[in-house]
Amino acid sequence: MLGATGSIGRQAIEVVERTPELELCALASGSTDLAGLASAHGVEHAQVGGDLTELLEAAEPDVVLNAVVGFAGIGATLWALERGVTLALANKESLVAAGDLALAARERGEGLLLPVDSEHSALYQCLEGRAPESVDSLVLTASGGPFRGRTRAELEHVTVEDALAHPTWSMGPKITVDSATLANKGLELLEAHVLFGVPYDRIEVVVHPSSIVHSLVRFRDGAALAHLGYPDMTVPIAFALTYPDRAATDVPRLDLAAGLTLEFAAPDLETFPLLALARRAGEAGGTAPAVYNAANEVAVAAFLEGRLPFLAIAEVVAETLDAAGGAPARDLDELLAADAEARRLAGRGVPVA
Ligand SMILES: NC(=O)c1ccc[n+]([C@@H]2O[C@H](COP(=O)([O-])OP(=O)(O)OC[C@H]3O[C@@H](n4cnc5c(N)ncnc54)[C@H](OP(=O)(O)O)[C@@H]3O)[C@@H](O)[C@H]2O)c1
């Protein structure tokens, strides 16, 4: 369990505690001490910081839950895919940045790649067993975040606290800011393209404030299959960790008789340019998605530290995409170089502390 102390990691530990078939064999965090957690779960391998692949080599897991935040999860994603070890992937940034390398590694490893993002878990389940040619398009739902309905002028002076007040999901700080800018949906658009091989012009994003419909697939016969449930990450975590068994969870069942209204609307791409920028990066291909991700990580970190206004996050990403080359990365070293260069370029647009 990589990122064991985070929002996903903590919920995943609860899933493990309630599921007799699952046993924790290794824990990793970035800087939080793991001694208490490791002894409470009788875990032999625990690592704070450092190279995640060393921990994985020592622990020999059957399933890797990658719930690290950001590009730091890349080594673990490629390690699991290369070896055919089942990868339960919450760390979308690694798949976005390393799309081509990850797909090549999965082909060699022939293992399972199970998304933990609720939208992609939903799409995975709607697509399972369907012929690719029967799929018309994918529809990713977005809550719209805390600033849905606001104008650009109203976003000029929003604070970190405002951005962290998500209406439907309780998550770590980086993804919560990404939800407020819609960069999270941009990353998810890029992630969906890598996971399901559907071209960008056939992946739509719609705003759905209550987050009950987690995503849907339209088929060529005119049918649309959707995945519904109250917003609770326990479901996609348990689905990935116990695939294909769907272990029982105690999450509340959807109560349709209590009344349920489902609302959908088009996203506001002018107020939230990071969604359109992600589509542009995806269509450009090569390392452009990695550049988008790196610039966004730099800008979000600066916003969280109070060094960058909210609207400037998108400006930093747009300028970095314009300045960086997007040539494909042939191996991990080239990808690491593209990521580092994008971070350097993005840093030019961010005031120092
Ligand atoms: N939260 C959600 O509901 C949700 C939903 C869908 C997808 N995701 C994705 O899941 C991932 C995790 O999100 P989160 O909300 O759980 O984030 P979070 O609460 O900020 O937790 C991040 C975790 O990663 C660890 N970490 C950070 N840098 C690391 C490094 N270099 N090496 C090892 N571990 C490191 C952190 O350890 P420390 O405690 O030491 O900092 C922490 O355990 C993100 O990619 C996010 O986009 C999250």
Side-chain angles (χ1 to χ4, degrees), residues 27-324:
L27 297 167
S29 71
S31 57
T32 306
D33 181 62
L34 291 169
L37 206 53
S39 77
H41 290 87
V43 174
E44 186 190 340
H45 303 277
Q47 183 176 300
V48 179
D51 182 348
L52 291 168
T53 65
E54 283 174 14
L55 174 75
L56 294 168
E57 289 287 343
E60 298 181 18
D62 298 317
V63 180
V64 174
L65 173 69
N66 188 351
V68 169
V69 61
F71 188 76
I74 194 129
T77 288
L78 294 175
W79 184 93
L81 292 173
E82 195 69 61
R83 283 157 188 77
V85 174
T86 297
L87 176 62
L89 186 67
N91 176 247
K92 64 190 89 182
E93 295 92 341
S94 60
L95 201 63
V96 165
D100 293 340
L101 297 181
L103 290 180
R106 182 174 64 169
E107 211 171 304
R108 289 190 294 269
E110 295 179 5
L112 279 171
L113 168 51
L114 298 163
V116 170
D117 236 339
S118 62
E119 295 79 358
H120 303 74
S121 178
L123 291 172
Y124 188 95
Q125 293 173 58
C126 293
L127 285 166
E128 210 176 4
R130 322 282 167 193
E133 62 273 18
S134 70
V135 175
D136 175 53
S137 56
L138 310 181
V139 185
L140 282 167
T141 52
S143 71
F147 303 143
R148 180 176 55 85
R150 304 250 190 125
T151 61
R152 280 187 76 73
E154 286 167 338
L155 293 182
E156 231 161 80
H157 301 295
V158 293
T159 64
V160 171
E161 205 184 9
D162 298 331
L164 290 181
H166 197 281
T168 49
W169 295 99
S170 163
M171 310 178 286
K174 193 257 176 184
I175 182 174
T176 306
V177 174
D178 285 348
S179 299
T181 62
L182 289 200
N184 183 49
K185 216 45 61 178
L187 292 168
E188 290 182 5
L189 172 73
L190 297 161
E191 181 187 9
H193 172 77
V194 176
L195 279 171
F196 306 116
V198 173
Y200 286 102
D201 60 0
R202 293 201 279 127
I203 310 177
E204 184 187 348
V205 174
V206 292
V207 172
H208 169 50
S210 58
S211 305
I212 299 284
V213 175
H214 298 135
S215 276
L216 47 98
V217 179
R218 294 197 193 93
F219 292 89
R220 64 182 172 190
D221 61 355
L225 297 189
H227 181 288
L228 278 72
Y230 296 120
D232 189 332
M233 289 306 294
T234 302
V235 178
I237 292 169
F239 178 82
L241 292 184
T242 68
Y243 183 85
D245 295 340
R246 282 189 189 273
T249 76
D250 58 5
V251 306
R253 280 16 183 183
L254 200 58
D255 186 355
L256 299 170
L260 191 62
T261 309
L262 302 177
E263 287 179 35
F264 300 89
D268 175 352
L269 298 178
E270 269 171 42
T271 308
F272 302 99
L274 279 159
L275 179 53
L277 283 169
R279 199 175 276 282
R280 205 178 92 195
E283 277 161 359
T287 47
V291 170
Y292 174 92
N293 176 65
N296 183 58
E297 285 190 26
V298 169
V300 170
F303 170 71
L304 284 168
E305 287 166 15
R307 286 186 284 126
L308 199 70
F310 181 79
L311 289 177
I313 299 173
E315 287 162 19
V316 168
V317 175
E319 284 161 16
T320 308
L321 278 169
D322 284 343

